[in-house]
Amino acid sequence: MEKKKLGFALTGSFCTWAKVVPILEQLTEKYEVFPILSPIGYVSDNRFGKAADWIARIETACKRKVWHTIEQVEPIGPRNLLDLMAVVPCTGNTLGKLANGITDTGVTMACKASLRNGNPLVLAISTNDALGASARNIGVLMNAKNVYLVPMSQDDPQGKPASLVAHFQLLDDTLEAAQQGKQLQPVFQ
């Protein structure tokens, strides 16, 4: 049986990449994964690792080059290249852009293209302002057609009371539910 085609975008919540990339690697057994990085994700060397090292690991797992520009992902829409799309982790910045129709990166263009084709878009939120400035955007996206959220919870209620992080281990279950047009529940755990 032919594997479904999954667009897998990583945005700049670098503290989560060590959890997210192994999940991406596992998903390559089940899906044909097309990796996409945000502009900052593609170039940022930070305390969580060097961009070149992350890119090499992702490209090795997916057996294809990372897309990171609007031009590279633009064909997703007209050619219907993907069956579903995931943004893992999805930062507050990306949430805001998606909720407000801003398409200025390869990640947001890939999401727009996927939704254009009526395909599921799964978001695994990781942002320190989810229960603050990003709350409105989460609400908008929860109410959008074909958008699904990986269940999430507060990661540090005392130190960062507005922060939410997705339960990344539930990504595969969320992808399965999304393909059936269902939101995995409960969203907030």
Side-chain angles (χ1 to χ4, degrees):
M1 187 160 93
E2 188 175 319
K3 291 180 178 180
K4 294 229 175 184
K5 294 177 178 147
L6 169 65
F8 195 108
L10 292 95
T11 64
S13 181
F14 300 110
C15 60
T16 65
W17 282 32
K19 293 178 184 174
V20 168
V21 172
I23 293 168
L24 176 149
E25 290 167 336
Q26 292 171 355
L27 289 173
T28 62
E29 297 171 17
K30 184 174 185 177
Y31 295 95
E32 186 177 348
V33 179
F34 293 76
I36 305 163
L37 292 183
S38 67
I40 194 67
Y42 192 74
V43 300
S44 183
D45 293 335
N46 54 63
R47 66 187 169 115
F48 301 104
K50 294 187 179 294
D53 295 338
W54 287 114
I55 291 167
R57 183 171 172 186
I58 291 165
E59 289 179 345
T60 297
C62 298
K63 297 179 179 70
R64 65 174 28 95
K65 292 285 188 190
V66 165
W67 290 336
H68 61 97
T69 68
I70 289 174
E71 294 80 8
Q72 289 169 319
V73 303
E74 189 278 330
I76 292 170
R79 295 185 191 160
N80 200 10
L81 295 178
L82 303 175
D83 296 304
L84 63 163
M85 178 76 201
V87 182
V88 188
C90 184
T91 61
N93 185 49
T94 302
L95 283 170
K97 290 177 181 189
L98 293 173
N100 291 287
I102 299 170
T103 308
D104 64 349
T105 68
V107 171
T108 54
M109 174 61 85
C111 293
K112 174 184 174 181
S114 192
L115 290 172
R116 162 198 167 161
N117 293 325
N119 295 325
L121 171 61
V122 172
L123 306 176
I125 293 171
S126 177
T127 182
N128 289 329
D129 72 347
L131 299 176
S134 288
R136 175 193 168 281
N137 297 325
I138 293 169
V140 167
L141 292 165
M142 286 181 77
N143 201 34
K145 185 177 180 181
N146 294 324
V147 177
Y148 304 90
L149 302 178
V150 175
M152 66 194 99
S153 62
Q154 289 178 282
D155 56 312
D156 183 1
Q158 301 306 318
K160 301 184 299 180
S163 181
L164 289 175
V165 175
H167 295 282
F168 299 115
Q169 73 276 11
L170 295 177
L171 176 60
D172 192 24
D173 292 341
T174 307
L175 290 168
E176 286 293 325
Q179 290 175 77
Q180 298 171 28
K182 296 178 183 174
Q183 171 62 58
L184 190 64
Q185 297 290 340
V187 175
F188 298 103
Q189 299 185 354

